[in-house]
Amino acid sequence: GINAEGIIALAQEGELSHVTALVNGEVSKEYISRFAALNLPRCSIGLHFNITEGFALSEAARACDVLTDSTTGRFKGKADVFIGLSAIGNTSEVITRAVSEELKAQLAALLSMLSEEGHIRAANNIWVDGHHHVHLLSPVFEVLVACPTVGGLRMPHQPNLLLDKIPPSLAPSTAAKQLFTRPDQCFGI
């Protein structure tokens, strides 16, 4: 699990410049509110985009049987989502719409939680990474790049280890892979 207390402590000590929040988790609102209330000017908060655990926030994602169990709205889990996306590839309008609407819903939830605490953020410059690195998958990456609210993407420490495990049908474009040459960085888009 996540050590939210440790993240908050490190941010207070000035050891972190960026954190990302998973907004559809069970304790997300509590920790996002606590973090935002600290008003740390040297540490920004972004979105930890999640389509593999918990519940979908958008109707489009709840209705997409590749991502969720349509009776509960719960995401199917990392393995099933990756397998489902791999089988369909990145040409499905249903997947693109579901991912796009879920991204909008999660960004709106993050901005709402932050504004409740008076931590006003520019709504067009949010940094994003992905739970289980979903932001590296072509259908998700393409939606993120096209979203005007997303100001940048965070890349993992060892992207090539992950890229080698992504099925060819979900592999990021050549242009996207160029971003992965400098790991553990945030890139503006």
Side-chain angles (χ1 to χ4, degrees):
I2 182 171
N3 182 348
E5 297 295 335
I7 291 170
I8 289 172
L10 286 169
Q12 286 177 304
E13 293 170 12
E15 297 294 327
L16 299 176
S17 60
H18 293 78
V19 298
T20 57
L22 189 146
V23 298
N24 61 342
E26 293 179 17
V27 295
S28 299
K29 186 171 182 172
E30 172 192 348
Y31 284 108
I32 292 168
S33 296
R34 284 184 52 207
F35 184 86
L38 295 172
N39 198 19
L40 302 170
R42 292 179 49 203
C43 188
S44 66
I45 188 168
L47 177 67
H48 191 64
F49 185 53
N50 176 24
I51 58 170
T52 58
E53 291 183 353
F55 292 91
L57 300 183
S58 72
E59 185 58 41
R62 285 191 293 272
C64 180
D65 63 357
V66 171
L67 300 177
T68 62
D69 175 331
S70 60
T71 59
T72 64
R74 188 173 199 66
F75 287 112
K76 290 185 170 183
K78 178 182 172 181
D80 287 342
V81 168
F82 277 49
I83 290 167
L85 289 175
S86 181
I88 289 177
N90 61 0
T91 59
S92 169
E93 289 182 30
V94 172
I95 296 297
T96 300
R97 182 174 174 273
V99 170
S100 180
E101 293 301 314
E102 186 62 20
L103 175 64
K104 290 175 189 173
Q106 289 186 28
L107 286 166
L110 175 65
L111 290 170
S112 174
M113 290 177 201
L114 292 174
S115 66
E116 285 176 16
E117 296 301 321
H119 190 80
I120 305 303
R121 289 278 319 241
N124 62 348
N125 193 22
I126 306 273
W127 290 91
V128 177
D129 64 12
H131 193 56
H132 294 130
H133 302 292
V134 296
H135 64 302
L136 300 180
L137 304 178
S138 182
V140 178
F141 186 87
E142 302 305 326
V143 167
L144 290 169
V145 170
C147 181
T149 306
V150 175
L153 300 173
R154 181 150 171 73
M155 297 301 142
H157 294 285
Q158 296 179 321
N160 290 333
L161 293 177
L162 293 169
L163 291 176
D164 292 343
K165 294 180 181 179
I166 294 174
S169 63
L170 295 177
S173 66
T174 301
K177 285 182 181 180
Q178 290 175 357
L179 292 176
F180 304 151
T181 61
R182 295 182 296 177
D184 200 31
Q185 300 290 322
C186 291
F187 296 96
I189 52 176

